[in-house]
Amino acid sequence: MKLEIRNQRRNNTFYNGDKNSYKIFKKGYSKKDVFLEAYITSCIESIGISVLSIHEVKQMDGQWAFETDLFEGQTLYEMMIANPEKTEEYLHQLVEIQTKIHKYKCPEIPVQRQKFSDYINQSNLDSSLKIDLQEMLSSSPKHKKVCHGNFTPHNVLINEKGTFILDWNHATQGNASADVARTYLWLKLYMPQYADVYLKMFCEKTNTSSQYVKNWVPIVAASRIIKNNPEELRLLRDEISVMEY
């Protein structure tokens, strides 16, 4: 079977075949994480959110893989790169899609608060800082909205059939503003000129205080720091340090 590279990520690559696509994870990627992502994606699909449906979980040349619906169309990120003059229009789309996702509930998926707490405990942050972060997390409002957990333009696929949301491995049920804080952090890192534009769009649409979202930023940054992605570390440390003042 001839496969064509369609989309490359840090931990996986999408290949298109004749009728289906194959999301192939890098060698050594956790079997547990592969099956957890398949489970969460199936739960999300069952409540009506459009995803690339997973047909089969299998190994291909010793690497874990999903066989999925065909990866067709363009991601919102590809559209931004191709048409930079339309970036703000695409950010509006991003906000529209994200807020629609937040209207869903899915009690089968992980709890955001517990996941953040576990990540903070596992980090190499100073113990006193961990305590402060845990206290902030504990005092935050308890919501049960579907949160993607890594909602970036890379994970929005648009084609003639509709809009499909990719990569649900970080999804949780929890506070929508924490989900927005993650998108905001991504934009600050990769499209910094649009981070505050995006945040303003979200806050105006949902009547949410920008400070309320920013209160989540140190918690979300701390939960990301254990990923140890070199290009993110400086920004994450800076965002965590803000809470000390």
Side-chain angles (χ1 to χ4, degrees):
M1 176 175 57
K2 185 178 180 180
L3 297 178
E4 176 186 359
I5 292 179
R6 178 58 188 83
N7 190 274
Q8 288 184 294
R9 311 294 179 97
R10 180 181 289 109
N11 292 316
N12 58 74
T13 301
F14 270 99
Y15 295 84
N16 277 359
D18 294 332
K19 295 182 179 179
N20 294 321
S21 290
Y22 300 86
K23 181 179 181 178
I24 302 178
F25 295 87
K26 69 179 184 180
K27 286 185 181 295
Y29 193 81
S30 165
K31 177 180 179 180
K32 177 184 176 182
D33 289 343
V34 169
F35 279 87
L36 179 59
E37 181 176 342
Y39 170 73
I40 293 174
T41 304
S42 298
C43 291
I44 294 298
E45 182 180 17
S46 73
I47 62 174
I49 297 176
S50 295
V51 302
L52 291 186
S53 186
I54 298 172
H55 304 165
E56 186 178 356
V57 181
K58 58 186 177 181
Q59 286 195 315
M60 299 175 69
D61 296 326
Q63 293 170 252
W64 286 106
F66 296 156
E67 182 176 347
T68 74
D69 291 341
L70 196 62
F71 192 115
E72 300 177 284
Q74 288 185 301
T75 65
L76 210 50
Y77 183 74
E78 290 170 332
M79 294 164 69
M80 287 176 173
I81 296 302
N83 306 286
E85 74 282 1
K86 294 184 176 181
T87 296
E88 289 198 24
E89 177 184 329
Y90 295 142
L91 286 174
H92 272 294
Q93 282 186 261
L94 192 74
V95 170
E96 287 289 331
I97 296 164
Q98 190 173 28
T99 52
K100 286 179 182 177
I101 290 172
H102 293 158
K103 292 178 181 178
Y104 288 86
K105 290 187 178 180
C106 187
E108 293 83 9
I109 65 176
V111 175
Q112 183 188 77
R113 182 182 299 271
Q114 186 60 57
K115 191 169 185 178
F116 283 164
S117 179
D118 291 345
Y119 281 159
I120 291 169
N121 284 336
Q122 293 166 23
S123 74
N124 60 1
L125 296 170
D126 179 83
S127 58
S128 61
L129 184 54
K130 288 182 183 182
I131 291 171
D132 290 342
L133 286 162
Q134 293 286 11
E135 288 180 352
M136 286 179 65
L137 180 60
S138 179
S139 63
S140 63
K142 298 174 176 64
H143 296 170
K144 295 183 178 180
K145 299 176 180 179
V146 168
C147 297
H148 183 277
N150 193 28
F151 195 76
T152 72
H154 290 91
N155 287 327
V156 179
L157 178 65
I158 299 174
N159 59 41
E160 60 184 14
K161 297 176 183 177
T163 300
F164 300 84
I165 313 304
L166 310 175
D167 286 3
W168 286 92
N169 51 313
H170 295 295
T172 58
Q173 49 177 317
N175 193 299
S177 289
D179 202 41
V180 172
R182 168 57 188 150
T183 306
Y184 175 72
L185 280 173
W186 184 90
L187 285 166
K188 286 195 76 170
L189 186 64
Y190 296 106
M191 304 179 76
Q193 69 273 36
Y194 293 111
D196 288 322
V197 175
Y198 156 80
L199 183 58
K200 183 179 179 181
M201 287 179 184
F202 171 82
C203 291
E204 288 180 351
K205 180 173 178 57
T206 61
N207 195 28
T208 302
S209 160
S210 62
Q211 187 57 52
Y212 178 71
V213 176
K214 288 182 178 180
N215 287 344
W216 280 99
V217 169
I219 295 171
V220 175
S223 74
R224 287 289 305 178
I225 207 163
I226 71 163
K227 303 295 181 183
N228 203 32
N229 297 328
E231 68 273 22
E232 292 189 3
L233 288 177
R234 173 179 283 185
L235 173 70
L236 296 178
R237 290 194 183 105
D238 287 347
E239 294 297 340
I240 295 167
S241 69
V242 170
M243 66 165 290
E244 296 184 80
Y245 302 96

